[in-house]
């Protein structure tokens, strides 16, 4: 009996997505667990596995189609020898959604008499074989007009990765630039189509800035004691290969400040205020298409070593497009750190439905007054952006002062 394959909900908040690519073709046999398609959400490109087995009889939604609503029939699965219906079944009982899988699942190993890593994608395409490429690399190639058949993958088993596409894109840009020098085109402009992530970022931040009444509180924090403690910790952890960053210590300090002053660990709704017992810190990570905020859960209960290892893992998977929905949903407070870029101070936009976000700038040597004497200290400006519907100014200032005390007296971070 023919069954509908539906557009899956890859996260609790997903309402639509882009059908980036069909892995299976019409007429292909499908086994339970086979990857049949790649779906692009606002956070990542994820592979979708089949739940049932049969023959992919008809593809209803072509690859590249945007704004496909969740539960929309995207294909029809039939049994072997069964006639393929022209339209999807309308009976709800016949419709079976597909289950999400981890993004960037490793491709099956191709067994051959030669090293697959030495075979170019062009050779594979000429022989009618599948080109092994990650979903993120495929999307970047498509957006920049890079022919994947001309690439040689440097990943496992010759898999084409983002770095391979970026390298080819750079070479293409150089060639284009040379051609433009020889024959300049007046008023030329490059048009790059918005990714799903960029569209969602634009919509959510516009809603935040226009619908959430922001107010801002800034404070200067001396970092010398924290930096000295970090140096001692890293020396002690050197044999384990673990390295604590300033950002790791900021996450722990923010989590402890929220535990001690829980009035900011809240969310505003039209009917009630939500107070959270767990302190789940969303950390902003820059990725090629924009920004994602993976979450370190119960950060107040974790050691600096645990936070460091988890933060590093989440950031790496975020940049590789391998985050699963549970990795980035449900944070109660956000941190955006641009200190590594030498930024003196900035104000971040609140990440709804959270009530606040902390903007962390770089530490720099500044003149300070201590006991009436002029001295030099490493000082960082931290700016708190707060939803005034949920938090009043005095509470925001009190919380920021609590954070400053924790950072300037950092031994509580390791007790």
């Amino acid at each position: 009996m023919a069954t509908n394959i539906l557009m899956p909900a890859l996260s609790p908040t997903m309402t639509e997505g882009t059908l980036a690519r069909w892995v299976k073709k019409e007429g292909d046999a499908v086994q339970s667990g086979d990857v049949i398609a790649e779906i692009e959400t606002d956070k990542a490109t994820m592979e979708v596995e089949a739940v049932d087995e049969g023959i992919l009889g008809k593809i209803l939604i072509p690859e590249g189609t945007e704004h496909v609503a969740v539960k929309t029939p995207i294909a029809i699965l039939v049994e072997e020898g069964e006639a393929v219906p022209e339209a999807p079944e309308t009976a709800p009982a016949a419709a079976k959604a597909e289950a999400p899988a981890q993004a960037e699942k490793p491709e099956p190993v191709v067994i051959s008499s030669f090293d697959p890593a030495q075979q170019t994608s062009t050779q594979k395409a000429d022989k009618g074989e599948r080109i092994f490429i990650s979903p993120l690399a495929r999307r970047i190639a498509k957006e920049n007009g890079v022919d994947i058949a001309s690439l040689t993958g440097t990943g496992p088993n010759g898999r084409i990765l983002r770095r391979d596409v970026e390298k080819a894109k750079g070479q293409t840009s150089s060639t284009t630039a040379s051609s433009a020098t020889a024959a300049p085109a007046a008023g030329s402009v490059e048009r790059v189509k918005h990714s799903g992530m960029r569209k969602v970022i634009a919509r959510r931040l516009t809603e935040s800035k226009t619908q959430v009444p922001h107010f801002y509180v800034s404070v200067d924090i001396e970092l010398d004691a924290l930096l000295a403690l970090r140096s001692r910790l890293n020396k002690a952890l050197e044999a384990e290969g673990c390295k604590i960053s300033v950002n790791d210590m900021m996450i722990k300090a923010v989590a402890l400040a929220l535990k001690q002053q829980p009035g900011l660990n809240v969310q505003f709704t039209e009917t009630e205020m939500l107070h959270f017992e767990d302190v789940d810190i969303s950390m902003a990570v820059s990725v090629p298409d924009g920004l994602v905020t993976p979450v370190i859960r119960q950060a107040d209960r974790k050691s600096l070593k645990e936070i460091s290892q988890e933060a590093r893992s989440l950031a790496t998977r975020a940049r590789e497009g391998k985050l699963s929905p549970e990795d980035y949903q449900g944070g109660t407070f956000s941190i955006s750190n641009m200190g590594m870029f030498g930024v003196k101070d900035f104000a971040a936009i609140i990440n709804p439905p959270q009530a606040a976000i902390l903007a962390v700038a770089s530490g720099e040597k500044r003149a300070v007054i201590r006991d009436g004497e002029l001295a030099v200290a490493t000082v960082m400006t931290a700016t708190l952006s707060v939803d005034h519907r949920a938090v009043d100014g005095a509470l925001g200032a009190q919380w920021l002062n609590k954070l400053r005390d924790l950072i300037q007296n950092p031994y509580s971070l390791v007790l």
Side-chain angles (χ1 to χ4, degrees):
M1 183 178 183
T3 58
N4 297 337
I5 299 175
L6 305 184
M7 183 67 169
L10 300 175
S11 71
T13 59
M14 178 179 169
T15 58
E16 62 179 30
T18 297
L19 207 161
R21 183 172 76 97
W22 280 104
V23 176
K24 294 288 187 179
K25 306 186 300 294
E26 288 185 357
D28 283 355
V30 175
Q31 299 294 324
S32 177
D34 283 354
V35 176
I36 60 172
E38 292 170 358
I39 304 297
E40 181 183 294
T41 70
D42 59 315
K43 300 293 184 182
T45 298
M46 305 182 71
E47 293 178 340
V48 177
E49 294 180 353
V51 174
D52 295 321
E53 60 182 38
I55 304 296
L56 187 58
K58 188 176 184 65
I59 290 177
L60 301 172
I61 304 295
E63 61 183 37
T65 303
E66 300 178 346
H67 308 300
V68 182
V70 168
K71 296 186 179 180
T72 298
I74 59 176
I76 300 175
L77 193 69
V78 298
E79 296 180 0
E80 188 172 357
E82 180 184 2
V84 181
E86 287 299 318
E89 293 283 341
T90 56
K96 295 185 180 180
E98 304 304 323
Q102 293 291 332
E104 292 283 86
K105 183 171 289 186
E107 301 285 356
V109 176
V110 178
I111 301 176
S112 62
S113 58
F114 54 88
D115 182 3
Q118 301 301 318
Q119 182 189 33
T120 66
S121 298
T122 303
Q123 291 169 329
K124 291 182 179 180
D126 289 344
K127 294 180 180 180
E129 298 179 28
R130 179 181 176 186
I131 296 176
F132 290 83
I133 181 170
S134 72
L136 178 61
R138 182 181 293 276
R139 186 170 74 249
I140 295 174
K142 181 178 180 181
E143 291 173 352
N144 292 275
V146 176
D147 180 11
I148 62 174
S150 65
L151 303 180
T152 299
T154 59
N157 300 308
R159 181 180 173 91
I160 298 171
L161 305 178
R162 182 181 70 183
R163 60 173 178 258
D164 303 317
V165 179
E166 295 286 356
K167 181 179 179 181
K169 185 178 71 171
Q171 294 172 344
T172 303
S173 300
S174 299
T175 304
T176 304
S178 299
S179 301
T181 303
S188 62
V189 61
E190 180 184 6
R191 299 180 184 274
V192 179
K193 190 175 182 180
H194 292 314
S195 66
M197 179 182 292
R198 178 52 58 188
K199 291 177 182 177
V200 171
I201 288 173
R203 175 176 57 80
R204 283 176 56 81
L205 293 187
T206 298
E207 290 173 354
S208 176
K209 198 64 174 176
T210 57
Q211 298 177 13
V212 177
H214 287 55
F215 76 86
Y216 308 94
V217 184
S218 295
V219 66
D220 290 337
I221 303 175
E222 294 185 21
L223 297 177
D224 297 283
L226 182 136
L227 295 175
L229 174 61
R230 173 177 176 259
S231 179
R232 292 179 61 186
L233 290 173
N234 283 336
K235 187 174 181 179
L237 293 169
E238 189 174 3
E240 300 181 37
C242 180
K243 189 172 184 180
I244 307 295
S245 69
V246 172
N247 196 59
D248 299 330
M249 302 182 83
M250 289 297 303
I251 290 172
K252 182 61 181 284
V254 165
L256 291 178
L258 288 170
K259 202 65 178 178
Q260 296 174 21
Q261 191 75 272
L264 269 71
N265 201 43
V266 300
Q267 289 179 9
F268 175 88
T269 74
E270 294 302 322
T271 58
E272 58 188 356
M273 193 79 73
L274 306 181
H275 294 259
F276 297 96
E277 181 178 353
D278 289 338
V279 178
D280 300 329
I281 303 297
S282 303
M283 59 175 195
V285 177
S286 178
V287 297
D289 287 339
L291 192 74
V292 294
T293 51
V295 180
I296 296 180
R297 304 190 187 280
Q298 299 181 337
D300 59 305
R301 305 182 192 180
K302 292 179 177 176
S303 68
L304 286 172
K305 179 181 175 181
E306 290 172 325
I307 290 174
S308 176
Q309 293 171 335
E310 189 171 339
R312 189 181 303 274
S313 174
L314 286 169
T316 298
R317 286 190 282 131
R319 296 185 180 105
E320 293 175 350
K322 295 181 179 180
L323 291 177
S324 58
E326 55 267 25
D327 288 329
Y328 54 77
Q329 293 176 345
T332 61
F333 186 99
S334 290
I335 297 177
S336 180
N337 189 344
M338 292 206 292
M340 67 289 293
F341 300 114
V343 174
K344 184 175 182 180
D345 66 80
F346 71 103
I349 299 175
I350 295 169
N351 181 20
Q354 297 173 12
I357 183 172
L358 183 72
V360 178
S362 64
E364 60 179 4
K365 295 293 184 181
R366 299 184 197 173
V368 297
I369 303 296
R370 291 177 181 161
D371 300 325
E373 298 290 334
L374 185 64
V376 176
T378 304
V379 180
M380 170 194 76
T381 299
T383 300
L384 181 69
S385 303
V386 187
D387 180 351
H388 214 326
R389 299 173 303 174
V391 179
D392 293 325
L395 181 57
Q398 290 166 8
W399 181 87
L400 205 51
N401 285 328
K402 174 68 68 176
L403 177 68
R404 178 175 57 189
D405 291 343
L406 287 166
I407 294 174
Q408 293 186 169
N409 302 279
Y411 284 92
S412 59
L413 305 185
V414 294
L415 296 177

